[in-house]
């Protein structure tokens, strides 16, 4: 075998992650992942800057805590589904620029039906700096493992806005929390009373499972949790890579 052929035959090895970050799939492969900013199924309608791979990356301590959450949920035939984890700082800058670009499509408006996207920054739904960039914050939901998976997201379909009944809004293959993910609306506030008793129970189930392992929910977003005491960590801006096994 020639030298070039020998080099080509050696599998590529990904560079180690910095700052005690880990791939969540290596900590607990049973936790489902749908990293929404790595594709088109999100409020910007495209891949967001810095998401080279659709991978959940977190600080090691966060990953170990999520593994314990998952273990507790298995007895209820439930699973976590990660929607966003570590977020490069460049992604937050991309979001801010998008919110201020003066354009808004109908598909984008599904995520903020009550006001224009220019208001997202002022109202605190988009920030120049995000706790996600420290690796200590996550967005996630629950999957009922006994339920049918449901239809896949169709980027060409005109779905109802994120506050509509689950059958009308974009499918997410998860339990019905009362709104879709990244819904900038009061109905997405964790303690909202504008949802059904069953939807409220799902939110309470998620909140209780996460709080038992030290996570704290952000009151405006039922899906957002972080670890207290880690807020002083440095923000990072390395791109989310593809996993070495891909």
């Amino acid at each position: 075998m020639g030298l070039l052929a020998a080099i080509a035959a050696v599998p590529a090895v990904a560079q180690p992650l910095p700052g005690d970050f880990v791939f969540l799939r290596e900590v607990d492969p049973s936790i489902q992942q749908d990293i929404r900013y790595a594709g088109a199924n999100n409020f910007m309608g495209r891949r967001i800057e810095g998401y080279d791979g659709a991978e959940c990356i977190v600080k090691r301590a966060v990953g170990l805590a999520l593994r314990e959450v998952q273990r507790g949920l298995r007895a209820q035939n439930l699973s976590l589904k990660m929607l966003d984890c570590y977020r490069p700082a460049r992604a937050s800058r991309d979001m801010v620029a998008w919110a201020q670009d003066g354009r808004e499509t109908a598909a984008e408006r599904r995520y903020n039906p009550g006001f224009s996207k220019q208001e997202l920054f002022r109202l605190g739904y988009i920030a120049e700096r995000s706790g996600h960039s420290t690796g200590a914050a996550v967005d996630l939901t629950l999957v009922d493992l006994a339920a049918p998976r449901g239809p896949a997201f169709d980027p060409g379909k005109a779905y109802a806005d994120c506050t509509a009944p689950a059958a009308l809004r974009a499918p997410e293959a998860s339990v019905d929390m009362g709104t879709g993910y990244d819904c900038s609306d009061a109905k997405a506030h964790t303690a909202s009373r504008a949802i059904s008793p069953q939807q409220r129970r799902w939110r309470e189930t998620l909140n209780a499972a996460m709080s038992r392992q030290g996570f704290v929910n952000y009151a405006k977003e039922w899906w957002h949790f972080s670890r207290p005491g880690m807020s002083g960590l440095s923000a990072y801006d390395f791109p989310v890579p593809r996993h070495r096994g891909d």
Side-chain angles (χ1 to χ4, degrees):
M1 182 183 292
L3 177 59
L4 292 178
I7 292 174
V10 176
V13 177
Q15 293 295 317
L17 297 174
D20 201 35
F21 280 87
V22 294
F23 287 100
L24 182 62
R25 73 158 81 182
E26 295 182 355
V27 178
D28 189 336
S30 76
I31 297 176
Q32 297 187 26
Q33 299 188 30
D34 181 13
I35 306 304
R36 299 279 291 274
Y37 300 155
N41 185 13
N42 59 61
F43 66 93
M44 290 172 64
R46 60 168 172 82
R47 183 187 69 83
I48 295 176
E49 185 69 26
Y51 286 84
D52 295 349
E55 286 291 336
C56 177
I57 296 171
V58 289
K59 287 288 189 175
R60 185 176 303 275
V62 173
L64 293 174
L66 289 170
R67 183 173 67 184
E68 293 305 309
V69 175
Q70 182 78 342
R71 285 175 175 172
L73 290 170
R74 285 187 189 129
Q76 303 173 64
N77 211 17
L78 299 173
S79 172
L80 294 175
K81 177 188 275 191
M82 311 308 298
L83 302 170
D84 191 35
C85 300
Y86 160 71
R87 180 186 305 166
R90 69 191 70 182
S92 294
R93 295 193 294 270
D94 194 14
M95 292 176 182
V96 172
W98 167 85
Q100 298 173 343
D101 68 10
R103 302 185 300 273
E104 189 164 24
T105 68
E108 292 169 349
R109 193 60 181 268
R110 294 201 308 258
Y111 291 85
N112 50 294
F115 49 85
S116 79
K117 72 178 188 179
Q118 291 177 312
E119 296 295 297
L120 290 170
F121 186 79
R122 183 181 66 82
L123 295 174
Y125 290 104
I126 291 179
E128 289 184 351
R129 297 183 179 181
S130 170
H132 282 275
S133 298
T134 69
V138 293
D139 294 344
L140 73 177
T141 187
L142 293 174
V143 173
D144 181 353
L145 297 175
R149 181 172 176 81
F153 172 74
D154 179 354
K157 187 171 181 179
Y159 295 107
D161 73 61
C162 60
T163 67
L168 301 179
R169 63 179 188 259
E172 298 189 300
S174 55
V175 304
D176 182 7
M177 292 287 190
T179 74
Y181 170 56
D182 261 352
C183 188
S184 299
D185 188 88
K187 195 174 180 181
H189 295 184
T190 308
S192 172
R193 309 306 293 179
I195 58 176
S196 72
Q198 180 60 62
Q199 292 163 346
R200 192 171 303 116
R201 283 193 291 272
W202 281 127
R203 293 188 187 187
E204 291 169 352
T205 297
L206 177 60
N207 215 334
M210 295 293 286
S211 64
R212 279 194 288 270
Q213 297 302 327
F215 289 94
V216 175
N217 174 247
Y218 175 48
K220 283 188 173 182
E221 299 174 349
W222 57 257
W223 54 83
H224 181 97
F225 292 83
S226 59
R227 296 274 286 183
M230 300 183 76
S231 58
L233 295 175
S234 298
Y236 289 79
D237 195 27
F238 65 92
V240 177
R242 296 179 64 188
H243 188 265
R244 62 180 63 92
D246 292 346

